[in-house]
Amino acid sequence: MIPLSIPKIEGNESKYVQDCLTTGWISSAGSYVNQFEEMIAKYAGAKYGVACMNGTAGLHIAQILLGITADDHVIAPNITFIATLNAIKYTGAHPILIDVDAHNWQMDLNLLENYFEEQTELKSVNDEIFSFDKGTGKRVRAIMPVHVLGNIGNMNRLLEISQKYHLEIIEDSTEALGSTFENKHAGTFGKIGVFSFNGNKIISTGGGGVIVTNDEDIAKKARHLTTQAKVSAMDYIHDAIGFNYRLVNVLAAIGVAQMETFPETLKAKKFMDAFYRTHLEGVGDIKFQEIPEGTDPNCWLFTFSTSRMRELLDYLNANGVQSRPFWMPMNQLDMFKDEIYITKNDVSASVYDNSISIPSSAGITKEQLETVVETIKTFYEG
Ligand SMILES: Cc1ncc(COP(=O)(O)O)c(C=O)c1O
């Protein structure tokens, strides 16, 4: 079976993990953790990086740092991996789901802007201005754009909307290490960005995440809250309800090695993407995800649309090509079906019904790519 997306482990991973084991520095104190967070921050062009045990934990902490509470709304796209929504729910806040753009599958910014124009009002609270949803009366505190599949929507427009309506931006950049919009890296447009390094991401630490920010105070607080909010190195004195969310050294060691080879990994992903786009163009009724002008994506996971998605999915999986459907839209999941959903034509439903992800590992060979393409062509052309 040609796997969907597996990590590429070809550098110093074993050596650095062995170093942790030999020296005994396997837990959350250790130099690889600092090194990894510095490497990620530097690569993304952010001042600070704070490593945490996974992207979901990072998204949770990001919201706490911005003071999001159970009285708030947080905006998210209706097509995302469930962790985005779970992280909002951990704070007790109420998601507002925005349908996605039919072409690039990112949050539909026209719907977002219409929502603010028509369904919110600005009010002053303790000399600060916020947007409030007219229906629920709750404050709309933040937008959490998700750079779905490593693609990025028009961030200039998103920033304009966030400024006009007094919103914070927390970027769910979990899939977007290596992606830029107008040469600025994913995760650095808003106050806080979060990357994930779980098993299927563009680089992996097994499980892991890094929060990036340019705000020193936020970085300090993130480090504090992810390590049980302990105030003294010696005494067990804590000043907040903290979390045991810190990444451990042995996993950060893998991350350091993965970052050392990241330029080649990114190159391999771009080769894979270009190969599929060239060879699948015009095959059956395949439509590619569109890349907005100004975006240079990391080409993390190749996903396309076809009206025969379910049939193709079964065919590929039965013929040695591991493939997966896209995420069920959040409004279709029981837990979120009563959340506010801003849509005109429920584009999310058709993106879900028609989209399929195919093998995209950074280590995929040219022969494997050819096999994937041939198998897809045989399905359509017999
Ligand atoms: C869009 C999105 N958000 C959040 C996450 C959560 O990241 P993690 O698995 O590291 O918790 C992921 C990855 O799984 C993701 O793809």
Side-chain angles (χ1 to χ4, degrees):
M1 181 74 95
I2 302 174
L4 184 74
S5 181
I6 54 169
K8 185 161 165 261
I9 302 173
E10 292 178 354
N12 288 318
E13 286 83 354
S14 309
K15 185 172 154 202
Y16 296 162
V17 168
Q18 189 58 50
D19 183 35
C20 296
L21 298 174
T22 311
T23 58
W25 289 99
I26 57 171
S27 194
S28 53
S31 62
Y32 287 110
V33 183
N34 300 335
Q35 204 181 329
F36 183 52
E37 51 195 14
E38 276 165 23
M39 281 171 113
I40 295 293
K42 187 165 178 226
Y43 184 86
K47 282 196 186 147
Y48 308 98
V50 180
C52 48
M53 65 183 193
N54 55 52
T56 312
L59 292 170
H60 182 200
I61 287 290
Q63 291 172 90
I64 293 172
L65 291 169
L66 295 182
I68 289 163
T69 71
D71 293 328
D72 293 323
H73 285 297
V74 175
I75 306 257
N78 193 40
I79 290 265
T80 183
F81 179 61
I82 192 168
T84 316
L85 271 275
N86 285 344
I88 295 172
K89 283 291 192 175
Y90 296 162
T91 67
H94 307 270
I96 291 178
L97 301 165
I98 308 284
D99 201 2
V100 298
D101 179 276
H103 305 287
N104 63 38
W105 311 344
Q106 314 293 306
M107 188 186 292
D108 183 327
L109 299 182
N110 292 328
L111 287 176
L112 179 73
E113 193 155 21
N114 284 347
Y115 163 73
F116 278 104
E117 264 168 31
E118 289 167 13
Q119 298 188 45
T120 66
E121 56 193 342
L122 292 172
K123 282 193 215 165
S124 172
V125 181
N126 300 331
D127 292 336
E128 253 197 281
I129 296 175
F130 297 106
S131 282
F132 285 81
D133 182 280
K134 286 189 207 164
T136 64
K138 291 187 197 308
R139 183 174 70 155
V140 188
R141 185 68 190 105
I143 311 179
M144 202 173 320
V146 179
H147 304 309
V148 172
L149 298 167
N151 197 0
I152 305 183
N154 184 338
M155 291 308 286
N156 294 335
R157 176 134 185 244
L158 190 74
L159 286 170
E160 273 167 29
I161 295 171
S162 74
Q163 275 153 18
K164 185 166 172 197
Y165 295 100
H166 299 257
L167 306 153
E168 298 288 5
I169 293 181
I170 300 169
E171 288 173 75
D172 181 337
S173 311
T174 46
E175 302 178 353
L177 186 75
S179 302
T180 59
F181 176 76
E182 294 186 349
N183 296 319
K184 196 169 157 64
H185 199 284
T188 63
F189 291 88
K191 201 163 247 171
I192 306 179
V194 179
F195 296 106
S196 161
F197 307 108
N198 76 17
N200 71 11
K201 292 296 180 282
I202 193 160
I203 67 160
S204 181
T205 55
V210 168
I211 298 167
V212 289
T213 182
N214 286 326
D215 184 316
E216 189 180 1
D217 190 45
I218 284 184
K220 268 193 194 148
K221 284 186 180 144
R223 194 156 286 130
H224 186 60
L225 277 183
T226 50
T227 51
Q228 302 283 29
K230 192 163 179 276
V231 275
S232 143
M234 175 70 77
D235 294 294
Y236 292 93
I237 301 169
H238 308 257
D239 64 357
I241 304 291
F243 299 85
N244 184 11
Y245 275 0
R246 186 89 171 141
L247 187 68
V248 294
N249 204 40
V250 74
L251 297 184
I254 299 175
V256 169
Q258 291 266 292
M259 276 310 281
E260 287 171 353
T261 56
F262 187 56
E264 291 102 82
T265 303
L266 195 54
K267 223 186 265 171
K269 288 280 187 181
K270 286 179 186 250
F271 177 81
M272 171 272 294
D273 187 271
F275 189 95
Y276 281 145
R277 282 181 191 263
T278 306
H279 293 88
L280 292 176
E281 176 80 52
V283 175
D285 64 348
I286 287 178
K287 280 201 197 80
F288 302 128
Q289 182 192 28
E290 285 181 18
I291 309 302
E293 209 184 314
T295 297
D296 184 10
N298 66 357
C299 308
W300 166 56
L301 185 69
F302 199 83
T303 304
F304 61 80
S305 290
T306 169
S307 60
R308 297 175 66 192
M309 186 277 278
R310 282 284 154 190
E311 268 176 274
L312 178 61
L313 188 70
D314 291 344
Y315 182 82
L316 293 179
N317 283 305
N319 284 280
V321 176
Q322 191 177 38
S323 304
R324 288 282 179 268
F326 212 14
W327 307 301
M328 180 175 270
M330 296 298 108
N331 74 307
Q332 293 186 28
L333 297 174
D334 254 9
M335 304 83 75
F336 307 126
K337 65 180 187 323
D338 297 327
E339 307 295 350
I340 297 171
Y341 174 35
I342 307 296
T343 181
K344 257 194 199 144
N345 303 312
D346 200 10
V347 171
S348 302
S350 57
V351 170
Y352 171 60
D353 289 342
N354 295 300
S355 301
I356 178 170
S357 303
I358 58 174
S360 301
S361 307
I364 193 166
T365 63
K366 186 143 179 282
E367 290 68 37
Q368 287 175 319
L369 286 170
E370 279 161 2
T371 304
V372 176
V373 166
E374 280 319 306
T375 315
I376 293 172
K377 283 186 174 166
T378 308
F379 169 80
Y380 283 106
E381 293 158 11

